Amino acid sequence: MSLFDRRLLLVTGKGGTGKTTVAAALARRAAADGRRVLLAEIGGERLSALFGRGPVGHHETPIDDRLSLMSIDPIHAAHDFLRGQVGAAVHRVMFQNRLFNLTLVAAPGLREVCTMDAMWDLAREKRGRRQPVYDLVIVDVAATGHAMAMLRSPATYGDLARGGPIRKRADEISAHASDRARTAVVVCALPEETPVNETLETAGKLGDLDVGLGLVVVNQLRETLLTDAGAAAVDALAGGDREAAGQTGLAVRAAAPVSVEHDRAQREAGQLGRLRSGLADGVPLVPLARRDEEVDLDEIDLLGAELAEAVR
Ligand SMILES: Nc1ncnc2c1ncn2[C@@H]1O[C@H](COP(=O)(O)OP(=O)(O)OP(=O)(O)O)[C@@H](O)[C@H]1O
Ligand SMILES: [Mg+2]
């Protein structure tokens, strides 16, 4: 099953690993393939900036025929959720109560469960009149800790709510998240020791939560441009062994950075291998090369093509 045939993709990973870039690359690719796509982030405007737009806020904002942007506001989502549960009239009374508003922010798991509710509302096959239906909703969820708290929240909050409609909705949200045909998590990583460890940890936690891992992206991989013989000559030069390499002093200075870069690429390839062997069979892992240019929308489309090739 293609990643793009799910209804909801949650993109997560450690800070700075490329979550926003990968979410945008997947969204633009899925839209180019003919899907109606909503690309959302939680409480920020990084995506609208990337697309050269002003802030979009908590509104589904079409930017072309097939792609819309949104910044999900958890507080807004919480009010929508409660309005849906208790009705508009009761919600209005509650909304005027300062204590209630404090509770809304403080109740463990409530914000997260409401954010999940909002995402699932956006990803529904059938929505209200005048509401657009999307084939795919992609959410740039931000850091892994937050994503995990969100995925755990229906259980946390559902237990707190005991019986009743909130519990029922929390159970529905859990069931959607565990449905491999509907929901997949995309984890971004860098080819370094700690991010690889964390990615393997995340993969394990997703298994415990019974949520599908649809794709692991290893971003900003350095490619080694040297053959083994070339690397040996560069190492000899960088070590100052002019005789072994038969070169000049200038070449020695030039060789040092090449040697460092080559060693780094080798280490990264090792980390990539470690990640591959630590992940369950069948989890697609896509390395993305480190780009020298600033990553604008054109670059993002090149990354999107690499990703699409791998998840088909
Ligand atoms: N393959 C790549 N090659 C070079 N630069 C990249 C690549 N992917 C992403 N970047 C750059 O790395 C930086 C971090 O990427 P991005 O903002 O997508 O990460 P993030 O995980 O969303 O970060 P944050 O945790 O801050 O939200 C950005 O400046 C982005 O343009
Ligand atoms: Mg980001």
Side-chain angles (χ1 to χ4, degrees), residues 222-239 250-267:
R222 285 177 174 81
E223 282 165 320
T224 180
L225 300 170
L226 298 175
T227 60
D228 287 349
V234 166
D235 281 347
L237 272 175
L250 182 68
V252 171
R253 279 202 304 281
V258 178
S259 174
V260 168
E261 192 70 8
H262 177 70
D263 287 351
R264 200 177 278 170
Q266 296 283 79
R267 275 201 304 279

Coordinates of all heavy atoms in Angstrom, one line a residue, residues 222-239 250-267:
R222 N 25.6 12.9 3.6 CA 26.7 13.3 2.7 C 27.0 12.1 1.9 O 27.1 11.0 2.3 CB 27.9 13.6 3.6 CG 27.8 14.9 4.3 CD 29.0 15.1 5.1 NE 29.1 16.4 5.7 CZ 28.4 16.8 6.8 NH1 27.6 15.9 7.4 NH2 28.5 18.0 7.3
E223 N 27.3 12.4 0.6 CA 27.7 11.3 -0.3 C 29.2 11.4 -0.5 O 29.8 12.4 -0.7 CB 27.0 11.5 -1.7 CG 25.6 11.0 -1.6 CD 24.7 11.5 -2.8 OE1 24.9 12.6 -3.2 OE2 23.9 10.7 -3.2
T224 N 29.8 10.2 -0.4 CA 31.2 10.2 -0.6 C 31.5 10.2 -2.1 O 30.9 9.4 -2.8 CB 31.9 9.0 0.1 OG1 33.3 9.1 -0.1 CG2 31.3 7.6 -0.3
L225 N 32.4 11.0 -2.5 CA 32.7 11.1 -3.9 C 34.0 10.4 -4.2 O 34.5 10.4 -5.3 CB 32.9 12.6 -4.2 CG 31.7 13.5 -4.0 CD1 32.0 14.9 -4.1 CD2 30.6 13.1 -4.9
L226 N 34.6 9.7 -3.2 CA 35.9 9.1 -3.4 C 35.8 7.6 -3.6 O 35.0 6.9 -2.9 CB 36.8 9.4 -2.2 CG 37.1 10.9 -2.0 CD1 37.9 11.0 -0.7 CD2 37.9 11.4 -3.1
T227 N 36.6 7.0 -4.4 CA 36.8 5.6 -4.5 C 37.7 5.2 -3.3 O 38.3 6.0 -2.6 CB 37.5 5.1 -5.8 OG1 38.7 5.8 -5.8 CG2 36.7 5.5 -7.0
D228 N 37.8 3.9 -3.0 CA 38.7 3.4 -1.9 C 40.1 3.9 -2.2 O 40.8 4.4 -1.2 CB 38.6 1.9 -1.8 CG 37.3 1.5 -1.2 OD1 36.5 2.3 -0.7 OD2 37.0 0.2 -1.2
A229 N 40.6 3.8 -3.4 CA 42.0 4.1 -3.7 C 42.1 5.7 -3.6 O 43.1 6.1 -3.0 CB 42.3 3.7 -5.2
G230 N 41.1 6.4 -4.0 CA 41.2 7.9 -3.9 C 41.2 8.2 -2.4 O 42.0 9.1 -2.0
A231 N 40.4 7.6 -1.6 CA 40.3 7.9 -0.2 C 41.7 7.6 0.5 O 42.2 8.4 1.3 CB 39.3 7.0 0.5
A232 N 42.4 6.5 0.1 CA 43.7 6.2 0.7 C 44.7 7.2 0.3 O 45.5 7.7 1.2 CB 44.1 4.8 0.2
A233 N 44.7 7.7 -0.9 CA 45.6 8.8 -1.3 C 45.4 10.1 -0.6 O 46.3 10.7 -0.1 CB 45.5 9.0 -2.8
V234 N 44.1 10.4 -0.4 CA 43.7 11.6 0.3 C 44.1 11.5 1.8 O 44.6 12.5 2.3 CB 42.2 11.9 0.1 CG1 41.7 13.0 1.1 CG2 41.9 12.4 -1.3
D235 N 43.9 10.3 2.4 CA 44.3 10.1 3.8 C 45.8 10.3 3.9 O 46.2 10.9 4.9 CB 43.8 8.8 4.3 CG 42.4 8.7 4.6 OD1 41.8 9.8 4.7 OD2 41.8 7.6 4.8
A236 N 46.6 9.7 3.0 CA 48.0 9.8 3.1 C 48.4 11.3 3.0 O 49.2 11.8 3.8 CB 48.6 9.0 1.9
L237 N 47.8 12.0 2.1 CA 48.1 13.5 1.9 C 47.7 14.2 3.2 O 48.5 15.1 3.7 CB 47.3 14.0 0.7 CG 48.0 13.9 -0.6 CD1 47.0 14.4 -1.7 CD2 49.2 14.8 -0.7
A238 N 46.5 14.0 3.6 CA 46.0 14.7 4.8 C 46.9 14.4 6.0 O 47.1 15.3 6.9 CB 44.6 14.3 5.1
G239 N 47.5 13.3 6.1 CA 48.3 12.9 7.2 C 49.7 13.5 7.0 O 50.6 13.3 7.8
L250 N 50.8 22.2 -1.2 CA 49.5 22.8 -1.5 C 48.4 21.7 -1.5 O 47.4 21.8 -0.9 CB 49.5 23.5 -2.9 CG 48.2 24.1 -3.3 CD1 47.9 25.3 -2.4 CD2 48.2 24.6 -4.7
A251 N 48.8 20.6 -2.1 CA 47.8 19.4 -2.1 C 47.6 18.9 -0.7 O 46.5 18.4 -0.5 CB 48.4 18.3 -3.1
V252 N 48.6 18.9 0.1 CA 48.4 18.4 1.5 C 47.3 19.2 2.2 O 46.4 18.7 2.8 CB 49.7 18.5 2.3 CG1 49.4 18.2 3.8 CG2 50.7 17.5 1.8
R253 N 47.4 20.6 2.0 CA 46.4 21.4 2.7 C 45.0 21.2 2.0 O 44.0 21.2 2.7 CB 46.8 22.9 2.5 CG 47.8 23.4 3.6 CD 47.7 24.8 3.8 NE 47.9 25.6 2.6 CZ 49.1 25.8 2.0 NH1 50.2 25.3 2.6 NH2 49.2 26.5 0.9
A254 N 45.0 21.0 0.7 CA 43.7 20.8 0.1 C 43.1 19.4 0.5 O 41.9 19.3 0.5 CB 43.9 20.8 -1.5
A255 N 44.0 18.5 0.8 CA 43.5 17.1 1.0 C 42.8 17.0 2.4 O 41.9 16.2 2.6 CB 44.6 16.1 1.0
A256 N 43.2 17.8 3.4 CA 42.7 17.7 4.7 C 41.2 17.7 4.8 O 40.5 16.8 5.3 CB 43.3 18.7 5.7
P257 N 40.6 18.8 4.2 CA 39.1 18.9 4.3 C 38.4 17.7 3.5 O 37.4 17.3 4.0 CB 38.7 20.2 3.7 CG 40.0 20.8 3.1 CD 41.1 20.0 3.7
V258 N 39.0 17.3 2.4 CA 38.4 16.2 1.7 C 38.4 15.0 2.5 O 37.4 14.2 2.5 CB 39.2 16.0 0.3 CG1 38.6 14.8 -0.5 CG2 39.2 17.3 -0.5
S259 N 39.5 14.8 3.2 CA 39.7 13.6 4.0 C 38.6 13.6 5.2 O 38.0 12.6 5.4 CB 41.1 13.5 4.6 OG 41.2 12.5 5.5
V260 N 38.5 14.8 5.8 CA 37.5 14.9 6.9 C 36.1 14.6 6.3 O 35.3 13.9 6.9 CB 37.5 16.3 7.5 CG1 36.3 16.6 8.4 CG2 38.8 16.5 8.2
E261 N 35.8 15.2 5.2 CA 34.5 15.0 4.6 C 34.2 13.5 4.2 O 33.1 13.0 4.4 CB 34.4 15.9 3.3 CG 33.0 16.0 2.7 CD 32.1 16.9 3.5 OE1 32.5 17.5 4.5 OE2 30.9 17.0 3.2
H262 N 35.3 12.9 3.7 CA 35.1 11.5 3.4 C 34.9 10.6 4.6 O 34.0 9.8 4.6 CB 36.4 11.0 2.6 CG 36.4 9.5 2.3 ND1 35.5 9.0 1.3 CD2 37.0 8.5 2.8 CE1 35.7 7.7 1.2 NE2 36.6 7.4 2.1
D263 N 35.7 10.9 5.7 CA 35.5 10.1 6.9 C 34.0 10.3 7.4 O 33.4 9.4 7.9 CB 36.4 10.6 8.0 CG 37.9 10.1 7.7 OD1 38.0 9.3 6.8 OD2 38.8 10.6 8.4
R264 N 33.6 11.5 7.3 CA 32.2 11.8 7.8 C 31.2 11.0 7.0 O 30.2 10.5 7.6 CB 32.0 13.3 7.7 CG 30.9 13.8 8.7 CD 30.7 15.2 8.6 NE 31.6 16.0 9.4 CZ 31.8 17.3 9.4 NH1 31.1 18.0 8.5 NH2 32.6 17.9 10.2
A265 N 31.4 11.0 5.7 CA 30.4 10.3 4.8 C 30.5 8.8 5.2 O 29.4 8.2 5.2 CB 30.8 10.5 3.4
Q266 N 31.6 8.3 5.5 CA 31.7 6.9 5.8 C 31.0 6.6 7.1 O 30.3 5.6 7.2 CB 33.2 6.5 6.0 CG 34.1 6.6 4.8 CD 33.9 5.4 3.9 OE1 32.9 5.4 3.1 NE2 34.8 4.5 3.9
R267 N 31.2 7.5 8.1 CA 30.5 7.3 9.4 C 29.0 7.4 9.2 O 28.2 6.6 9.8 CB 30.9 8.4 10.4 CG 32.2 8.1 11.2 CD 32.2 8.9 12.4 NE 32.1 10.3 12.2 CZ 33.1 11.1 11.9 NH1 34.3 10.6 11.6 NH2 33.0 12.4 11.7

